[in-house]
Amino acid sequence: MNVLADAESDKDGDTAPQIAASGTVTMAMPLGKRSREQIFRETTETYLATLGAFGHASLPTPEELEPQLMSRIEGEFAMENMAFRADGGAGGRLMKPSSLPPIAIAMAMRKLFRIVVIRPSGTSEGEARARGMLARYETTGPDEGLYVGRPEYMRSIVRRFSSGMSKEGAKLVFDLVRSHADAVEPNDNPDLIAVNNGIFDFVKKELMPFSSEHVFLSKVRTNYDRNAVTSPIITNPDGTEWEIVQWTVDLFDDAERTQLLWEVLSASVRPLVRWNKAVYPFDEDGENGKGTFLVLVRCLVGAGSWVSIPIADFANKFQLAQIVNKSLVVTDENDVGSFSDKLANYKAVITGDVITIEEKFENPYSYVPHVFVIECLNSFPKAKDTSRSHYRRQLFWPFSKSFTGSANSSIKEDYLTRREVLEYVLHRVLHAEPFYKLSEPKASRKVLGEFKNLNDPVRACWEDIEHQLIWDLVPTAFLYELYVAWTERYAPNGKAVGIGEFGRRIGAIVRETGHWEQGTYRPGTQMNEPELLIERFDLRNWMNPSYTGTDPSKRCQPKLLERYRGFKRSATWVANVDDDDDDSDLDRALDVDCDLPAAA
């Protein structure tokens, strides 16, 4: 029986008690005939009808409500048992409850608070009710303006009504509340930004008050001050001056990377924009400013809105629960050479896709993370994922300048934590010209290229041999044998991938260059010249079977087949790559035919 649904049956005029003008209550069931559930439901509804609407200042707290409602329930049980005795004892005596029952708590929670089911974008209302996060709107305190969930937090609310409520009892309360709570989608307008003292409209450049109609799960915990237009100047102990804009310039001596710094700060306070990038502050040496920048971004977003999760930990399903009600993932250290095997959750978080949140001993629920990801790296991470969908989510941000011996510790420990500095930074990024895509400095593109080669030997091989190829038509089977020989020579501790995997990878890699077409082609004159890589890597299957001499130019002219599956050089062809297509490039990659040279 859905008792919470029955509790609202007064809408159809059936069993709920009615309050007469005199203030007395008329019962749908006569005294002495009611069940415990009916008493709980009717008494709670009658009491709640005397209270104001949600948000009214006169509403009691759970601690105030509990003794008042318990007194009424106990009184109703006493009246019921008196009627039972007067009726000759027919039907059985009812035992009084020792605490508020789940149905009463559920009804009271819906009266006192705005409680909703968070509906992930793209899910049905039924799915949301079954798997969405239950959350309460906060009207005061540090989380004012937010809908806050997490199972333990919601249980803490239940315990305010009944301190001894068990976990199983709290689950029953949640089920009752969930069945009638509104299913709402979080705000998806990227130009509405929840700051500490309201909602900022990024387009209109104005601050609005918080409202329960705007569903935010996190906020920037720095106040917006419309007068914070001048960058504070701070005097150092030695009498020199420090100012944050100049400090950002001095970090790099590179205008592109300084520009990216301000973009990253903006992205950190605008998590509803689909940036589709994780930013990697990168350098293999210390004392380069990475850690100091992270102090700034953490202080700007504020404690309670950021979390630290290393890349490898995204594969741990229980770690993802930390993302709930957060807007920033920012991590100081990732293990040197850390190997990331399963990156599906990591990629989903970066692009704001639906993930499943699992906490130990809790029911899983669906959640859409709106977080910006910053992962500091002191070396390249290792990953099995070599797809474009992985690489295009990465923005390496080199911190190549050294401050060894000249670092000012006051910047990190004092200046960047000051309210006036943070409010100026927030004002500056909120009043900047709107942008919705992060720039890629030249230095970033260079480091990404290095990472791709280190992470994928197939790519490294291609980068090495492409400019050495003489043939204008390069069979895939030839490339594979060349890759195997290259791996044995330059990566002896590595293991060459199979020909099928090689075909998928090389197809995607070669298309990126825009220098080659792929398909099945007749050799024509495109393979007439000796391909000297045959000699260099001792590719015996591709040597001329009719020649036994030592002249490389003759040894490297195999007997050709009529057609080859492979790549044809083109100076004008440009690959048509759709940046929004995650993996279809790999799906379309050529399937590998083992086209070996014709036998003698």
Side-chain angles (χ1 to χ4, degrees):
M1 178 178 66
N2 188 334
V3 291
L4 193 58
D6 291 343
E8 297 192 345
S9 59
D10 60 312
K11 296 176 181 177
D12 298 319
D14 20 283
T15 62
Q18 304 296 318
I19 303 176
S22 62
T24 60
V25 176
T26 60
M27 298 295 176
M29 292 287 291
L31 288 174
K33 303 295 184 181
R34 292 181 296 168
S35 66
R36 287 169 58 89
E37 288 74 17
Q38 287 173 318
I39 295 175
F40 292 149
R41 183 178 66 245
E42 293 171 355
T43 306
T44 302
E45 188 168 69
T46 302
Y47 169 71
L48 296 179
T50 66
L51 305 180
F54 166 71
H56 197 278
S58 65
L59 283 177
T61 65
E63 292 80 5
E64 294 168 339
L65 178 145
E66 187 271 338
Q68 297 174 19
L69 182 53
M70 271 301 298
S71 177
R72 292 194 178 211
I73 290 175
E74 289 171 350
E76 290 297 322
F77 268 77
M79 291 174 59
E80 192 69 22
N81 286 329
M82 288 177 60
F84 156 73
R85 288 194 296 271
D87 194 36
R93 180 181 175 86
L94 298 179
M95 181 175 295
K96 293 181 180 180
S98 59
S99 60
L100 286 180
I103 175 60
I105 296 175
M107 294 172 67
M109 286 177 65
R110 292 188 59 221
K111 179 70 174 183
L112 299 189
F113 309 124
R114 166 74 168 153
I115 297 181
V116 301
V117 174
I118 301 298
R119 176 180 177 179
S121 177
T123 61
S124 68
E125 183 168 341
E127 289 174 314
R129 292 203 178 280
R131 293 178 55 82
M133 181 179 74
L134 203 63
R136 184 184 81 161
Y137 181 72
E138 302 297 314
T139 58
T140 60
D143 292 324
E144 179 185 358
L146 302 182
Y147 282 85
V148 179
R150 298 289 298 270
E152 183 54 38
Y153 174 74
M154 296 302 293
R155 277 197 294 272
S156 72
I157 298 174
V158 172
R159 294 191 189 104
R160 294 180 64 187
F161 294 91
S162 176
S163 59
M165 178 66 69
S166 68
K167 188 174 181 179
E168 291 72 23
K171 182 180 182 303
L172 177 56
V173 173
F174 297 154
D175 289 343
L176 293 168
V177 173
R178 181 184 292 274
S179 65
H180 279 65
D182 292 334
V184 300
E185 291 190 21
N187 171 60
D188 61 357
N189 183 342
D191 292 321
L192 292 183
I193 304 161
V195 295
N196 200 48
N197 55 337
I199 301 170
F200 186 82
D201 189 315
F202 190 61
V203 175
K204 296 180 180 179
K205 307 300 182 185
E206 62 183 27
L207 187 69
M208 305 179 293
F210 287 123
S211 167
S212 61
E213 298 304 310
H214 292 289
V215 182
F216 286 98
L217 304 181
S218 63
K219 67 178 180 179
V220 177
R221 297 175 188 270
T222 297
N223 286 337
Y224 168 75
D225 180 357
R226 63 187 180 89
N227 296 316
V229 295
T230 303
S231 178
I233 296 175
I234 300 173
T235 302
N236 291 308
D238 63 1
T240 59
E241 293 181 338
W242 179 89
E243 184 271 327
I244 191 167
V245 176
Q246 185 59 48
W247 172 74
T248 64
V249 172
D250 295 340
L251 269 181
F252 303 103
D253 295 334
D254 176 351
E256 287 186 331
R257 280 182 277 176
T258 297
Q259 173 64 26
L260 181 58
L261 180 148
W262 288 101
E263 291 177 5
V264 169
L265 290 172
S266 180
S268 298
V269 303
R270 298 164 57 207
L272 293 178
V273 176
R274 283 185 174 253
W275 300 106
N276 295 329
K277 294 279 189 184
V279 172
Y280 296 159
F282 177 84
D283 194 70
E284 295 180 327
D285 301 315
E287 295 192 296
N288 45 42
K290 295 199 309 288
T292 305
F293 171 77
L294 294 192
V295 169
L296 170 59
V297 74
R298 284 193 181 112
C299 290
L300 180 66
V301 172
S305 289
W306 62 267
V307 65
S308 176
I309 306 177
I311 296 172
D313 286 356
F314 279 84
N316 183 333
K317 61 183 179 180
F318 296 122
Q319 291 287 340
L320 291 180
Q322 300 179 73
I323 286 178
V324 176
N325 287 117
K326 302 295 189 293
S327 60
L328 178 68
V329 175
V330 54
T331 307
D332 284 279
E333 295 289 342
N334 281 272
D335 289 343
V336 174
S338 177
F339 189 90
S340 301
D341 187 3
K342 300 177 180 178
L343 292 173
N345 284 333
Y346 183 60
K347 294 195 291 187
V349 168
I350 292 170
T351 50
D353 299 326
V354 178
I355 60 174
T356 297
I357 297 295
E358 295 186 55
E359 298 186 51
K360 290 184 178 179
F361 314 115
E362 303 287 357
N363 291 331
Y365 56 91
S366 298
Y367 186 79
V368 176
H370 291 291
V371 299
F372 186 62
V373 179
I374 303 174
E375 296 281 350
C376 268
L377 299 175
N378 293 326
S379 66
F380 288 120
K382 297 179 181 179
K384 286 185 177 179
D385 192 339
T386 60
S387 66
R388 284 186 61 251
S389 67
H390 176 44
Y391 292 139
R392 70 181 179 84
R393 287 173 168 89
Q394 299 174 322
L395 178 53
F396 285 90
W397 183 20
F399 279 66
S400 52
K401 196 171 177 180
S402 175
F403 295 95
T404 301
S406 61
N408 182 352
S409 61
S410 296
I411 299 173
K412 186 175 184 178
E413 298 169 3
D414 179 11
Y415 304 164
L416 295 179
T417 69
R418 295 191 184 188
R419 177 187 56 80
E420 63 271 22
V421 172
L422 297 173
E423 290 181 358
Y424 167 74
V425 171
L426 181 62
H427 187 283
R428 180 184 173 102
V429 297
L430 292 183
H431 282 269
E433 285 297 317
F435 72 98
Y436 302 89
K437 183 178 180 180
L438 296 171
S439 61
E440 278 193 271
K442 181 180 179 180
S444 297
R445 296 193 297 272
K446 181 176 183 293
V447 174
L448 177 60
E450 294 172 2
F451 169 67
K452 288 179 177 180
N453 287 341
L454 284 173
N455 192 54
D456 184 3
V458 174
R459 182 181 294 273
C461 173
W462 176 255
E463 293 283 340
D464 183 32
I465 61 95
E466 181 188 11
H467 70 282
Q468 301 179 53
L469 289 167
I470 295 173
W471 286 343
D472 291 327
L473 173 60
V474 185
T476 303
F478 168 76
L479 278 179
Y480 180 68
E481 291 197 34
L482 178 58
Y483 155 72
V484 172
W486 184 93
T487 301
E488 290 175 352
R489 180 173 300 180
Y490 295 113
N493 295 327
K495 180 180 179 181
V497 299
I499 192 168
E501 175 65 15
F502 174 82
R504 286 189 291 274
R505 291 195 195 179
I506 198 68
I509 293 166
V510 172
R511 279 194 301 277
E512 286 180 18
T513 68
H515 302 153
W516 302 81
E517 297 176 3
Q518 66 178 47
T520 301
Y521 306 100
R522 294 178 183 275
T525 61
Q526 300 173 100
M527 300 174 68
N528 282 357
E529 295 295 321
E531 180 50 77
L532 298 181
L533 288 173
I534 295 173
E535 178 77 13
R536 177 183 168 192
F537 286 94
D538 195 26
L539 304 182
R540 295 183 180 275
N541 286 332
W542 292 88
M543 292 180 179
N544 187 337
S546 302
Y547 179 73
T548 59
T550 60
D551 185 348
S553 64
K554 293 180 179 180
R555 284 165 59 87
C556 297
Q557 287 186 304
K559 185 175 181 180
L560 302 178
L561 298 178
E562 183 179 351
R563 290 182 178 85
Y564 287 101
R565 179 94 169 141
F567 300 92
K568 183 177 70 172
R569 195 188 305 268
S570 173
T572 57
W573 183 78
V574 177
N576 181 20
V577 178
D578 182 355
D579 284 341
D580 292 328
D581 188 353
D582 280 2
D583 295 312
S584 60
D585 280 339
L586 295 180
D587 297 336
R588 294 193 300 267
L590 63 100
D591 51 4
V592 179
D593 298 327
C594 295
D595 303 323
L596 295 178

